[in-house]
């Protein structure tokens, strides 16, 4: 991510920490545009996607530290969808938001490097998307994560490894108990900790973080033990049944050590709250931002 | 995949079986274009990607039943890269080849459906890429695979689930031994078998298949036991050390039950064989095609 002029270079963790502190927000706005529920009166298509995301960012952006576009929703529109995604990333950056590219890519070697370059940038002569963070799937092992870490470090970006996702079916593989003790997801947590080691600055936060669902509080406690310096992205609050009160362990290393992500519960808030989509979303986002901030204050004994 | 006029509708497995029989080939050409080693004199960029892939398809396509574009290599070029990928898919279909979209997507719910629609087509008003098969990452569990299966069935396409990949680091998660017995990859094989059940036609082959590296012969034998009706895509022959002689178990259910994929060992064959890239690639592909065909003949006791 771009540092401001005259600032000394920062580690990824320190820059994230500074942004979270300035905006008093750990909230990540999921951009997961459902073609049937867009905030746009344009004809369905990529222009409506851009219009929708720009409107949502304008309404809710001030309560957030980052946006998390769901790549699948853009890829559905082919090449124009990829162009639209680029426009949305630009709009987010202009609104002072970080961008988490949620593509959950998981491949190895030159393929993983190509994905990383495509998302972070850094390939010769190719701009890339300019994401500040990207989600990565570790099923193929360390080789699936390492090329992302290497590429992210070239541009002071970060990596978020799927460790324990928030969906029920995640239990099949991620919760499988190992003959040697522990579960598969704990092995993944160990990988995150190892690959991030040595990357923290003053904030104490590494550039390799994890996705851990807010739907399993006991696992989150254990995840924090196994990954004491990792930024943890917390999906599953709201629509998937997770409660913000349960994510306290995420904030133990600091304000920016837990990022709370929500999508439908913000963008579709008017269905429950009434009012315009903008007002309802702003209200829902502000409530979630404030609750997370106060929770982190309580955990850290700060105000 | 499009059936020919007047043909009755076929199951995915029967159509694949027919194609493999007609072309006497189980060979899948990996399209994994390295920007530094293109068969094209055009300036680097998406036009050179298209030119390269079209040349490779023209030279090697007749020895193959399918191509497998590596999506990362195209995504690196942003929106024009996605357009180039569409052109390459079209060129492959015009050459009578099936297309395996190798994106290893792995997400759930509406996101997984959007990926599947993006690759297979089938979304209202959106063409999609038109792939005949797509690789899928099952780390997030059954919910990551089921939407692909549902979408594939709408267009008589197939799914290839990562079960045991060919890279050494795959051992970390996929080979992890479970407390209840068996390894993680065997759980994934069970998922493939369950989701494919009931989809086979005369050929006996399901529409849910698996990726199992050719680098671990003992695992391939066991994989075939666990997935008796699955089409198995076999990466890792050549550059990664796998040997064609070791993939016999893949062919036990039939000619089309094993698909042998190779990329660099064909496209870069001139570095070892000499001659023009076209001649060398054609020679390497023809040798591999013939070896696989003869091996399947021996396994099946046919000629």
């Amino acid at each position: 991510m771009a540092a401001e002029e005259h600032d000394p270079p920062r580690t990824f963790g320190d820059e994230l920490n500074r942004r979270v502190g300035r905006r008093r927000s750990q909230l990540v706005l999921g951009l997961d545009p459902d073609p049937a529920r867009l905030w746009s009166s344009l004809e369905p298509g990529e222009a409506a996607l851009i219009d929708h995301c720009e409107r949502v960012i304008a309404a809710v952006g001030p309560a957030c530290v980052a946006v998390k576009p769901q790549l699948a929703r853009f890829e559905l529109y082919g090449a124009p969808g990829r162009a639209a995604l680029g426009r949305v990333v630009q709009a987010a950056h202009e609104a002072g938001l970080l961008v988490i590219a949620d593509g959950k890519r998981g491949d190895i070697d030159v393929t993983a490097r190509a994905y990383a370059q495509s998302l972070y940038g850094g390939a010769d002569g190719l701009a890339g998307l300019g994401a500040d963070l990207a989600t990565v799937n570790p099923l193929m092992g360390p080789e699936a994560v390492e090329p992302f870490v290497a590429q992210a470090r070239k541009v002071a970006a970060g990596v978020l490894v799927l460790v324990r996702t928030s969906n029920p079916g995640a239990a099949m593989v991620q919760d499988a108990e190992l003959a040697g003790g522990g579960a598969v997801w704990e092995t993944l947590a160990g990988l995150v900790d190892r690959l991030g080691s040595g990357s923290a600055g003053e904030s104490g936060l590494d550039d390799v973080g994890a996705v851990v669902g807010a739907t399993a509080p006991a696992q989150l406690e254990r995840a924090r033990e196994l990954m004491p310096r990792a930024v943890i992205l917390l999906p599953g609050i709201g629509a998937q049944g997770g409660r913000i009160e349960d994510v306290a362990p995420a904030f133990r290393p600091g304000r920016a050590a837990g990022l709370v992500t929500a999508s439908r519960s913000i963008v579709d808030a008017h269905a429950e709250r009434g009012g315009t989509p903008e007002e309802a979303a702003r209200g829902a986002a502000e409530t979630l931002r404030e609750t997370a901030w106060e929770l982190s204050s309580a955990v850290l004994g700060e105000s």
Side-chain angles (χ1 to χ4, degrees), chain A:
Chain A
M1 59 192 101
E4 281 162 34
E5 262 186 293
H6 310 305
D7 280 352
R10 287 196 179 84
T11 69
F12 169 80
D14 288 358
E15 175 65 16
L16 177 68
N17 194 51
R18 188 182 72 88
R19 301 244 190 168
V20 165
R22 271 208 187 166
R23 299 183 79 109
R24 298 174 69 88
S25 176
Q26 295 110 340
L27 186 57
V28 175
L29 169 65
L31 292 172
D32 188 12
D34 180 342
R37 312 178 82 164
L38 298 183
W39 292 13
S40 175
S41 51
L42 298 178
E43 288 290 304
E46 60 278 6
L49 274 194
I50 298 172
D51 186 42
H52 168 84
C53 291
E54 287 181 346
R55 285 168 189 263
V56 176
I57 289 170
V60 175
C64 303
V65 68
V67 296
K68 183 174 72 66
Q70 186 56 267
L71 269 49
R73 293 288 205 179
F74 296 86
E75 291 181 14
L76 185 52
Y77 295 83
R82 176 58 182 75
L85 177 61
R87 288 277 300 276
V88 170
V89 168
Q90 196 183 347
H93 280 157
E94 286 168 5
L97 297 162
L98 297 174
V99 172
I100 303 174
D102 194 1
K104 301 184 177 65
R105 299 304 194 240
D107 213 307
I108 59 163
D109 197 26
V110 292
T111 308
R113 191 168 72 223
Y115 277 131
Q117 291 176 330
S118 163
L119 298 177
Y120 298 123
D124 283 350
L126 295 168
L129 192 61
D132 304 292
L133 282 151
T135 55
V136 176
N137 182 316
L139 180 69
M140 292 180 78
E143 295 118 300
V145 184
E146 287 157 353
F148 270 83
V149 175
Q151 199 63 31
R153 285 184 181 161
K154 289 187 186 169
V155 294
V159 180
L160 292 166
V161 179
L162 303 187
V163 166
R164 205 321 181 167
T165 57
S166 55
N167 60 307
M172 189 184 83
V173 176
Q174 298 166 42
D175 288 353
E177 291 291 329
L178 299 175
V184 167
W185 75 265
E186 293 176 284
T187 303
L188 299 175
L191 177 68
V192 167
D193 188 64
R194 177 165 69 76
L195 294 180
S197 181
S199 67
E202 286 179 14
S203 65
L205 297 176
D206 285 351
D207 57 6
V208 183
V211 178
V212 180
T215 45
Q219 286 177 324
L220 186 56
E221 180 73 45
R222 174 77 177 136
R224 181 47 84 202
E225 275 177 43
L226 294 169
M227 303 180 288
R229 303 172 314 278
V231 175
I232 299 184
L233 182 76
L234 301 152
I237 288 171
Q240 290 181 60
R243 300 185 320 158
I244 181 72
E245 299 78 7
D246 290 331
V247 305
F251 295 119
R252 213 167 290 141
R255 296 277 195 193
L259 298 175
V260 171
T261 179
S263 173
R264 279 170 286 177
S265 63
I266 292 175
V267 177
D268 298 335
H270 53 287
E272 292 205 357
R273 289 180 167 236
T276 67
E278 285 82 357
E279 286 165 352
R282 200 178 290 128
E286 186 50 38
T287 300
L288 192 51
R289 181 204 67 76
E290 198 176 348
T291 311
W293 187 258
E294 287 175 1
L295 178 64
S296 69
S297 299
V299 169
L300 296 164
E302 297 171 12
S303 62

